[in-house]
Amino acid sequence: MKAVVMAGGEGTRLRPMTASMPKPLLPVANRPIMEHVLRLLKRHGLNETVVTVQFLASLVKNYFGDGEELGMDLTYANEEKPLGTAGSVKNAEEALKDDSFLVISGDALTDFDLTDLIAYHRERGALVTVCLTRVPNPLEFGITILKEDGRVERFLEKPTWGQVFSDTVNTGIYVMEPEVFDYVEPDVPVDWSGDVFPRLMKEGRPIYGYVAEGYWEDVGTHESYVKAQADVLEGKVDVDIDGFEISPGVWVAEGAEVHPDAKLRGPLYIGDYAKIEAGAEVREHTVIGSNVVVKADAFLHKAVVHDNVYLGPQSNLRGCVIGKNTDIMRAARIEDGAVIGDECLVGEESIIQGNVRVYPFKTIEAGAFVNTSVIWESRGQAHLFGARGVSGILNVEITPELAVRLASAYATTLKKGSTVTTARDHSRGARALKRAVISALQASAIDVRDLENVPLPVARQQTARGSAGGVMIRTTPGVPDSLDIMFFDERGADLSQAGQRKLDRVYARQEYRRAFPGEIGDLRFPASVFDGYTGAVIRAVDTTGVAESGLKIVVDAANGSAGLVLPSLLGRLGVDSLVINPGQDESRPTETAETRRAGLVRLGEMVSSSRAAFGVRFDPVGERLALVDERGHIIEDQRALLVMLDLIAAERRSGRVALPVTTTRIAEQVAAYHGTQVEWTTTSPDDLTRAAGKDAVFGGDGQGGFIVPEFSSVFDATAAFARLTGLVARTQLSLSQIDARIPRAHVLCRSVATPWAVKGLVMRRVVEAAGDRSVDTTDGVRVVESDGRWVLVLPDPAEAVTHLWAEGPDDATAQELLEHWSAVVEGADH
C-alpha cells in the first residue's frame, strides 16, 4: 500500500514561523514535523509515499529529496494552485490508482497504529475509512458521529459550541480505495469532508470511522506547536528523539557542548553542535536547535529555539519561539507567547512582550520595548560603524560574508588600481576574516599590501606611506569573542564621518564594483616593516639624553603584537630594559580589565624589585600604554595623561594640546602653568586625531591613548613610550615626583540605560534643567556651575545608554552632582 502525505498548506495561523518556511518543515524536537510523519509511515510498512506540495514546494523537496536517507521512496505531486484536501490527492491519482492508499497530513504529530487502521478498513470492505480521535475541545476540527457498526452517520466542519454533538474529530488521516477519485473533479478545489464525504454518504457508499487510541496533535497554532514540543519531551508521543538521554529527560545530540556549570532541568532537548556556556540555565520543555550558542547566564524556560541562533549573555526567554539564524543580544528579554521570525536581530536589553510577532529579517533596536507585532518594517541597522569601526561577535554579527561585502563596498569607494594596506592582530578569527577581505579587494581591482600580524599603529603608519586606505582586523578590546573591522583613510587615520557614510551607502545598495579578469588586484608582502617603523619613530621623536641617562625600564609586551617591534626599538633607543611577556598567544588576543590590572600589579612588583626608573605596559595591539612609577605604583590612565601633559608642556612651554571633553579640568591648570593651551574635542577618536594633527604638541584620551604629533596623529604606544623615555631622561625627575606636583582630580562617571526612542527627549530635558547655568555642547551637554563644578551628559552612539561624567573639588561633591543629573536623565525616560 502507498501513502499520500499532504504538505502543501501555507500554515497562515503559524506566521511568522511559516512566513519563510513551509509548515511541514517546522521542527519538533529538532526534526521537521513531516519527518516524524514519514518515520511513522515507514514503521508501519508504508515505504512508498507521494508528497503533495504547493506552498514553498522547493524547500520540502530539497529537504527530503527522494527519501533515500529515510529508507523510503518519495515522489512529489506539485499543485500549481491550491486544490483543497481532495483536489491535491486527485493531483497524485496516477501514482495511486492501482491499490488502496493512506492519506495523512504532513503537519500533524501522531503515533497512531496505522497497521490496525488499515486492517480495520479491509475488514469492513470500506471505500473510505476516516481515522478519528477524541479531543477535549472540538471547535477547530471537523466532528463526526458514528453508527454502532462503525459507519459514519454525520460530519460537521468546525462547529460552534451550540452545534457540538460529539468529541470525536476527524484527524485528516484516511484509508481509501482508488474508485474514490470518481467523486473528485480534477483541477478545481475540492475538500474531503466538505464535498466528497457528504456525497458518498448521500449515495450510501461505505464510509467507516476508526477511533484511534494514541497521541495526535494538529500543529496549527503557536500554542499547539509549543505543546507538541513539551509532549515529545514528556514522552506522551512515541517518536524518535535524535540524541542521548544523559539524565532523565535531558536529551543531548551529537557534538553538543554543555559546560559543567550550566544548569539543566529536564525534560529538555539540546541539538547537535549546540554550545551551552557556564552559568546558563535551561529549564523544562525547552528545545534548542542545531548550532545554537547559549552564552553565560542566559535563561530559557519552555522556549523553542530553531537552528543557528545566538543567545547573548543574560538573555531571558520564556515560552517563546525563536526562528533560525536569529541573534538575541545581551540581556534581551522575550516573553511568553512571543514569536521571532527567521534572521532577525534583537538588540541588547530590549524587551519583546508576550504574544508579539516579529516577522523575518527585522531588527529590534537595543533597549526597545516592543508590545505590538513588527510586520512591515524593513530590516536596517541605524549605524554600520561604531566607535571602533564595524564591530560585532565573530561568526554571529561579523561573518566572512559580511567581511567580503564590506571590503567590496570599501573598494568601490576607491579608484581602480589603488593600493590598500591590510593587517590583523594575532587571533585566529582576525586571520580568517582578513583573507576574506583581501579576496574581495583584489576582486574589485585593488592592489593589496598585506602586513600580516602587526601592531595597530604600525598598520596606520604603513597605510600612510602611499596607500589609498587600509583595513585592520583586531579582537575587540576586552571582548575575546568579538572583532573590529577598522577602515583607514590615506593618512592611516580612521575613516571620517563622510567616508563612513559613503561606504555605508555603497554597502546598503550592494552596488559593488567588480574587476575584469585582467584587472584583478596584486598581493604583496612588504619586507622590513618593523625596522622601517622603529627607524621612523627614532628619527621623529626627541630621544636625546637617553643613552647617557642610564635609565632602567621594565617593558611588559602583554603577549601582544607590540612585542614584535620592541627588539628593534629598544636596540635603537640604547636603554637598559627588561622585557616581559614578549610571546604571543593566539587563543588570548585581548585582555579583560581584571587581567590588565593583574598584569600591572606584577609589572609594579618587577619595577620596584629591579629598581627601574619606571615600567610601561602595552595593550595587545600596541595602541595604548599604561604606566607604573619607580616605586611600583600604578599610575591610573587619567593620571598618566596629566603626567605626560606636564612633562611635554614643561619642555615645550608653548603650543596646543588636544583633549576630549571628558578630561578633568586640572589639565587646563597644568597646561596653563607651562604656557600651553587646551583644545577640547569630542570623545570621537577621529576628532581627537584631527585636532592633534594641526600643529599640536600632544594629544591623549585619558584611557592610555597618547598622540605624538611629531610622528603621527593617531594613538601610538610605541611612539609614546619613546617620547616618555626621552622626557624622563632629560627632566631628571621621577614619575612619582611629577605626579605629586599635579593637583588631585575628582571625576566620577556612570552609565544610565536609555531606550533609543527617548534619547532626544533626555538631552532636551538636560538642557531645560540646566536653566541659566553655562552650557557647553562640544560633545553631548556639559553643564558648568558657577564655582567650576561640571557634569557632562553624553548619549552613546552605539548602545542604548547615556553616559555621565561629573567633576567637583572632592569625591563627595562629584558624587552629589552625578546623582542629581542621573535622576534628571532617568526622569526623562519615564
Side-chain angles (χ1 to χ4, degrees):
M1 182 183 284
K2 291 183 179 178
V4 183
V5 175
M6 294 190 291
E10 290 193 37
T12 52
R13 290 180 299 165
L14 279 165
R15 288 181 181 168
M17 282 189 288
T18 53
S20 54
M21 179 191 296
K23 187 177 167 187
L25 289 188
L26 285 180
V28 172
N30 216 33
R31 269 191 182 145
I33 305 173
M34 185 170 142
E35 186 173 336
H36 290 298
V37 171
L38 291 173
R39 286 174 181 271
L40 175 69
L41 293 173
K42 186 186 177 191
R43 211 156 55 223
H44 291 279
L46 297 160
N47 293 333
E48 283 190 74
T49 298
V50 182
V51 182
T52 67
V53 289
Q54 195 255 324
F55 177 68
L56 298 177
S58 60
L59 296 183
V60 177
K61 291 178 182 177
N62 290 344
Y63 186 91
F64 292 106
D66 61 5
E68 184 182 1
E69 286 189 21
L70 292 170
M72 299 182 74
D73 180 9
L74 299 186
T75 55
Y76 297 89
N78 200 51
E79 299 173 47
E80 298 301 323
K81 60 182 180 180
L83 294 173
T85 55
S88 63
V89 178
K90 173 78 171 180
N91 199 41
E93 180 179 4
E94 191 61 32
L96 304 169
K97 63 184 180 182
D98 299 327
D99 194 7
S100 312
F101 57 90
L102 180 139
V103 178
I104 190 169
S105 171
D107 50 28
L109 189 65
T110 182
D111 59 6
F112 287 163
D113 187 342
L114 302 182
T115 303
D116 198 50
L117 167 65
I118 294 165
Y120 179 91
H121 172 82
R122 285 178 169 157
E123 286 166 11
R124 300 296 188 281
L127 174 63
V128 175
T129 299
V130 181
C131 184
L132 308 170
T133 193
R134 294 187 173 89
V135 297
N137 183 353
L139 296 187
E140 287 298 317
F141 310 103
I143 60 174
T144 310
I145 195 162
L146 303 179
K147 296 178 182 176
E148 283 188 18
D149 64 353
R151 281 183 178 249
V152 174
E153 183 178 321
R154 189 176 171 201
F155 276 114
L156 185 63
E157 274 296 288
K158 298 189 178 178
T160 65
W161 273 117
Q163 297 171 310
V164 168
F165 49 77
S166 170
D167 66 347
T168 310
V169 303
N170 179 1
T171 64
I173 302 172
Y174 313 115
V175 183
M176 297 178 164
E177 299 301 317
E179 61 194 272
V180 78
F181 288 128
D182 297 340
Y183 294 86
V184 183
E185 194 177 340
D187 295 323
V188 295
V190 184
D191 279 317
W192 292 120
S193 54
D195 302 314
V196 179
F197 296 164
R199 188 175 161 198
L200 293 175
M201 290 169 63
K202 193 173 180 181
E203 293 186 12
R205 301 305 302 269
I207 302 183
Y208 281 82
Y210 170 87
V211 182
E213 298 295 329
Y215 181 92
W216 178 79
E217 181 71 53
D218 175 43
V219 185
T221 64
H222 293 101
E223 293 72 24
S224 61
Y225 178 67
V226 173
K227 179 179 181 293
Q229 313 279 349
D231 290 343
V232 168
L233 295 173
E234 293 278 4
K236 293 179 180 178
V237 51
D238 181 16
V239 297
D240 296 330
I241 298 180
D242 187 20
F244 310 94
E245 194 172 11
I246 60 172
S247 62
V250 176
W251 292 86
V252 178
E254 178 188 357
E257 186 181 329
V258 181
H259 195 279
D261 293 335
K263 304 180 190 75
L264 306 181
R265 185 195 294 179
L268 57 85
Y269 180 87
I270 297 170
D272 50 315
Y273 300 100
K275 182 178 181 182
I276 316 296
E277 291 194 352
E281 184 172 353
V282 184
R283 297 182 61 176
E284 59 269 20
H285 301 162
T286 292
V287 175
I288 292 172
S290 304
N291 304 308
V292 170
V293 176
V294 182
K295 299 296 285 183
D297 302 317
F299 177 89
L300 294 89
H301 185 205
K302 296 183 179 178
V304 180
V305 181
H306 293 182
D307 296 347
N308 301 308
V309 167
Y310 172 84
L311 302 176
Q314 296 111 47
S315 55
N316 192 304
L317 281 66
R318 299 170 186 266
C320 57
V321 179
I322 310 296
K324 67 179 186 294
N325 300 321
T326 283
D327 300 330
I328 311 295
M329 307 312 287
R330 181 187 61 80
R333 184 181 184 93
I334 303 176
E335 298 288 2
D336 192 45
V339 180
I340 312 297
D342 296 347
E343 300 194 40
C344 290
L345 172 66
V346 179
E348 291 189 354
E349 297 184 3
S350 55
I351 298 173
I352 311 290
Q353 284 286 81
N355 301 312
V356 164
R357 307 288 186 250
V358 178
Y359 274 60
F361 311 109
K362 301 295 181 287
T363 295
I364 305 299
E365 286 194 324
F369 181 88
V370 182
N371 57 11
T372 56
S373 292
V374 181
I375 300 172
W376 302 113
E377 295 83 350
S378 62
R379 177 173 185 161
Q381 285 176 285
H383 302 286
L384 190 59
F385 283 83
R388 299 174 300 269
V390 181
S391 305
I393 300 162
L394 175 62
N395 281 334
V396 174
E397 297 165 292
I398 302 293
T399 61
E401 298 90 337
L402 175 84
V404 166
R405 291 198 299 270
L406 274 172
S408 298
Y410 181 52
T412 304
T413 67
L414 305 173
K415 292 180 180 177
K416 278 188 178 183
S418 298
T419 298
V420 167
T421 298
T422 59
R424 63 171 175 87
D425 71 7
H426 58 283
S427 68
R428 288 186 176 186
R431 179 167 55 196
L433 261 69
K434 181 172 64 66
R435 289 170 178 162
V437 166
I438 289 172
S439 297
L441 291 171
Q442 289 181 280
S444 299
I446 297 294
D447 293 333
V448 178
R449 294 174 68 243
D450 185 27
L451 306 178
E452 300 183 275
N453 172 24
V454 297
L456 179 53
V458 175
R460 293 185 185 278
Q461 185 249 8
Q462 287 287 315
T463 298
R465 297 177 71 177
S467 294
V471 183
M472 170 84 182
I473 304 179
R474 66 163 182 185
T475 306
T476 304
V479 190
D481 59 355
S482 292
L483 286 181
D484 301 336
I485 303 179
M486 308 176 73
F487 293 92
F488 305 147
D489 62 17
E490 71 282 357
R491 300 171 298 131
D494 291 342
L495 275 188
S496 65
Q497 293 290 327
Q500 290 178 15
R501 283 194 295 271
K502 187 176 180 183
L503 196 159
D504 233 333
R505 282 195 301 273
V506 176
Y507 177 85
R509 293 196 303 261
Q510 297 192 29
E511 295 174 354
Y512 310 133
R513 181 185 67 218
R514 292 286 179 243
F516 297 111
E519 298 177 325
I520 298 295
D522 191 20
L523 174 61
R524 290 178 290 118
F525 300 91
S528 306
V529 169
F530 298 129
D531 283 345
Y533 168 75
T534 54
V537 170
I538 295 300
R539 286 193 298 275
V541 176
D542 184 0
T543 56
T544 54
V546 172
E548 303 79 31
S549 66
L551 285 178
K552 183 176 185 180
I553 305 168
V554 183
V555 181
D556 186 351
N559 299 117
S561 54
L564 298 170
V565 300
L566 286 174
S568 175
L569 177 75
L570 294 170
R572 291 169 187 264
L573 269 178
V575 70
D576 184 10
S577 60
L578 169 63
V579 179
I580 59 176
N581 300 317
Q584 294 183 61
D585 181 355
E586 64 180 22
S587 67
R588 291 189 299 157
T590 187
E591 56 186 7
T592 63
E594 294 77 16
T595 307
R596 178 177 184 269
R597 192 76 189 177
L600 283 170
V601 169
R602 286 194 298 274
L603 174 63
E605 291 166 354
M606 297 194 73
V607 168
S608 177
S609 63
S610 64
R611 298 185 179 179
F614 61 91
V616 296
R617 188 172 200 270
F618 289 83
D619 76 344
V621 292
E623 186 179 41
R624 297 175 184 276
L625 199 67
L627 307 184
V628 169
D629 69 18
E630 77 285 356
R631 299 171 302 173
H633 295 167
I634 300 167
I635 303 176
E636 301 299 340
D637 287 342
Q638 282 280 356
R639 201 76 195 157
L641 176 65
L642 296 176
V643 167
M644 191 75 101
L645 171 61
D646 185 78
L647 277 165
I648 291 167
E651 186 169 275
R652 288 298 186 94
R653 292 288 169 182
S654 65
R656 204 173 36 76
V657 297
L659 303 172
V661 289
T662 50
T663 310
T664 169
R665 266 42 193 179
I666 299 291
E668 275 186 323
Q669 297 177 31
V670 173
Y673 182 79
H674 296 298
T676 56
Q677 290 181 316
V678 174
E679 179 180 340
W680 298 108
T681 76
T682 72
T683 52
S684 161
D686 185 40
D687 278 354
L688 186 60
T689 56
R690 258 201 306 274
K694 296 183 299 186
D695 307 320
V697 296
F698 175 62
D701 69 350
Q703 298 172 52
F706 299 108
I707 298 171
V708 181
E710 58 264 41
F711 176 65
S712 75
S713 63
V714 297
F715 297 139
D716 189 329
T718 305
F721 167 58
R723 181 95 183 262
L724 176 65
T725 304
L727 289 164
V728 171
R730 293 189 294 276
T731 192
Q732 296 185 344
L733 291 173
S734 68
L735 292 190
S736 66
Q737 289 172 319
I738 296 163
D739 187 18
R741 74 186 188 189
I742 301 170
R744 296 287 114 186
H746 302 277
V747 179
L748 301 178
C749 57
R750 175 184 294 179
S751 296
V752 177
T754 312
W756 286 97
V758 299
K759 280 190 174 183
L761 172 64
V762 165
M763 300 312 289
R764 177 162 63 81
R765 291 284 166 81
V766 168
V767 172
E768 289 171 355
D772 55 2
R773 300 178 184 90
S774 173
V775 171
D776 172 16
T777 56
T778 301
D779 198 12
V781 174
R782 190 170 75 96
V783 181
V784 185
E785 304 282 351
S786 55
D787 58 1
R789 293 176 298 146
W790 59 270
V791 67
L792 173 67
V793 182
L794 180 64
D796 191 288
E799 296 181 18
V801 294
T802 299
H803 304 293
L804 294 94
W805 288 263
E807 181 172 27
D810 51 57
D811 281 348
T813 307
Q815 185 65 39
E816 187 182 318
L817 261 179
L818 203 57
E819 296 290 346
H820 172 75
W821 288 97
S822 294
V824 172
V825 170
E826 289 168 343
D829 184 14
H830 294 93

